[in-house]
Amino acid sequence: MKPDLLLICPLFPATMAQLDAAYTVHRYYQATDKDAFVAGLAERITAAATAGHEGMSVALMGKFPKLKIISCFGVGVDGIDVPAARKLGIAVTNTPDVLTECVADNALALVLATMRRTVFNDKFVRAGNWLKGGAPLADKVSGSRLGIIGLGRIGKAIAKRAEAFGMKVAYHSRNKQTGVSYDYYDKPLQLARDVKILVVACPGGKETERIVSREVIDALGKDGYLINVSRGSTVDEPAMVDALVNGRLAGAGLDVFVAEPKVPDALLKLDNVVLQPHVSSGTHWTRAAMGQLVVDNLAAYFAGKPLLTQV
Ligand code: NAP
């Protein structure tokens, strides 16, 4: 008999096929009567799978007294209260490293597309406007000063790419990193004052909520660009929209939003923003590798082996 698995939300289709092959998968998101669904499974479930954005609430964890592992699709586990899970004896795993390169690639794509107005120019050509005259000039990318909030795996991969563009890199995180020569700032505000491009690559959650505050946005200023590939929660979104609309911020490249998939209406009307539907890890290779880690962590748990990527 296949072991039981609780699936909180839909995952990458190939991953769900692997899970269906190995487990009896109980789909929480499809249950119409959630209470009856939970009551029927409470004593049987020892493992769950979910996605980073969806997570699993502490209240729901508490309803499965035998739950031992939550295997999370994504590196950001801000949808899961990890210390609370630990107290309940539940291990949480995520999918680090395999997505780092793709997220960094997309961060650079957003830097380039926003500053060089790639999307605007594409629309300009399609609309036949080129026939009437040249497009407005854009901003120079190479050699600009770039700041990163969160110089972790993804932040470092972004920094490496920025160096190839001749950029001077600086960063803010809680701790100064060893083994890097980039300028360290212990406050995001000072960093924003000193850079032209600010890239947010730290985790989401309470600790980083609005780390890019109104003051930080104003410090970045009318010639500055904000790029966010972290979580929508890290930016004061109304303040950012206000600054973009009123010319107090030059542009923004955004992969994540506070109430995604809802995006503030004002942003949809702006030419100086490039908007992405939370797809920084969204390549065939990376999504397959993330799914494999979800599957491998569950397999390790059921085989009584050490977990591969426990948070
Ligand atoms: P990581 O290696 O753990 O790096 C996180 C970095 O953020 C660390 O340098 C950490 O340094 C810093 N940090 C943590 N808390 C902070 C705080 N309160 N203030 C300032 N800096 C803080 O994680 P990663 O693999 O690079 O991933 C980073 C994040 O990217 C994820 O958590 C996720 O939210 C986001 N992400 C987004 C996508 C997407 O599709 N858009 C895809 C993957 C990941 P200190 O500990 O020294 O502060």
Side-chain angles (χ1 to χ4, degrees), residues 29-92:
Y29 58 97
Q30 282 181 349
T32 41
D33 183 343
K34 302 279 192 235
D35 288 343
F37 174 88
V38 169
L41 287 169
E43 293 300 320
R44 276 160 55 198
I45 291 295
T46 65
T50 188
H53 60 274
E54 190 76 26
M56 184 169 181
S57 71
V58 179
L60 190 57
M61 289 178 208
K63 291 181 181 163
F64 296 95
K66 294 184 177 155
L67 186 61
K68 288 284 173 279
I69 179 173
I70 303 170
S71 185
C72 180
F73 186 98
V75 68
V77 290
D78 42 301
I80 299 173
D81 185 337
V82 178
R86 212 169 280 144
K87 271 190 201 150
L88 291 168
I90 303 165
V92 176

Side-chain angles (χ1 to χ4, degrees), residues 197-208:
I197 308 156
L198 185 64
V199 183
V200 195
C202 62
K206 283 214 161 27
E207 271 199 50
T208 55

Side-chain angles (χ1 to χ4, degrees), residues 75-76 78 99-100 103 149-155 172-175 177 201-204 207-208 211 229-231 255-256 278-281:
V75 68
D78 42 301
L99 45 64
T100 296
V103 179
I149 296 185
L151 197 76
R153 289 169 290 239
I154 293 169
H172 161 75
S173 53
R174 291 166 304 181
N175 307 294
Q177 294 282 315
C202 62
E207 271 199 50
T208 55
I211 191 167
V229 292
S230 64
R231 289 286 186 262
D255 186 42
V256 286
H278 200 150
V279 288
S280 288
S281 69

